[in-house]
Amino acid sequence: MSNTYVSHVAVVVILAMASQCFAATTGAGNGVSGADAGRRARAAQTVAGILAVHNEARRAVGVAPLAWSAGIARYAKGYAASRRGDCAPRRSPLFNFGENAFVGKGRRWNAPALAAAWVDEGRRRYNYGSNTCAGAAAPALSGSSSPCTRYTQVVWRNTTQVGCGRIVCDSGDSLLVCDYFPPGNYGTGRPY
């Protein structure tokens, strides 16, 4: 066998491998439709937005950023889907996680905007010095014992992972559920 023949075979093999790599990274040739690719891109953008809201709040108080957990997100999405009929921001029965839930009127709410409401509420009401929360929960933010617990869960120092799920309820309103691990808001300690 000549060296030229071996060289040509090597080039063909390398080109075939490069073609497969390109197809895998672009979605071409692996059954991923343009709609699926668009859906995945929007999902990735939503995850990035949720993490940005959480991690900016955490950075502002000096705690480490959260990582996204796909497993926790599946649980949160499943629980949110179970509330589709009543759209109630109630606590899920699984207490292994900390949890925040928010109902936004109408379907136009995006997940990062819903999460930003928790942070904004906490920044306005939470007093770190006294570890207290000013005022009662606003009607749109009901479903918690304190208007600051959603914020303190976002910035809880020992929490390392988050996963969220957003659905549009039968009423047409948007429900976002975020679950956190390890959970925060336990004991009488400060969140950070």
Side-chain angles (χ1 to χ4, degrees), residues 110-138:
N110 65 40
L114 292 168
W118 299 324
V119 173
D120 180 57
E121 172 189 48
R123 284 185 177 152
R124 286 184 291 112
R125 297 175 181 239
Y126 180 68
N127 181 308
Y128 182 81
S130 63
N131 197 27
T132 60
C133 187

Side-chain angles (χ1 to χ4, degrees), residues 5-111:
Y5 178 76
V6 172
S7 295
H8 288 304
V9 170
V11 168
V12 169
V13 169
I14 290 170
L15 288 173
M17 289 172 48
S19 173
Q20 289 297 317
C21 288
F22 177 78
T25 59
T26 62
N30 64 2
V32 176
S33 71
D36 286 343
R39 198 171 310 122
R40 287 183 183 159
R42 284 189 304 280
Q45 185 177 15
T46 297
V47 167
I50 290 170
L51 281 175
V53 167
H54 281 78
N55 289 334
E56 171 56 28
R58 293 173 68 83
R59 185 196 61 71
V61 298
V63 295
L66 296 176
W68 185 260
S69 167
I72 295 173
R74 278 190 297 279
Y75 176 79
K77 179 79 170 192
Y79 179 68
S82 78
R83 307 293 336 168
R84 188 179 306 277
D86 65 6
C87 210
R90 293 196 180 108
R91 179 79 170 91
S92 72
L94 185 62
F95 284 93
N96 295 350
F97 300 123
E99 189 169 80
N100 283 337
F102 183 96
V103 175
K105 294 295 181 191
R107 65 180 55 241
R108 296 276 182 219
W109 284 87
N110 65 40

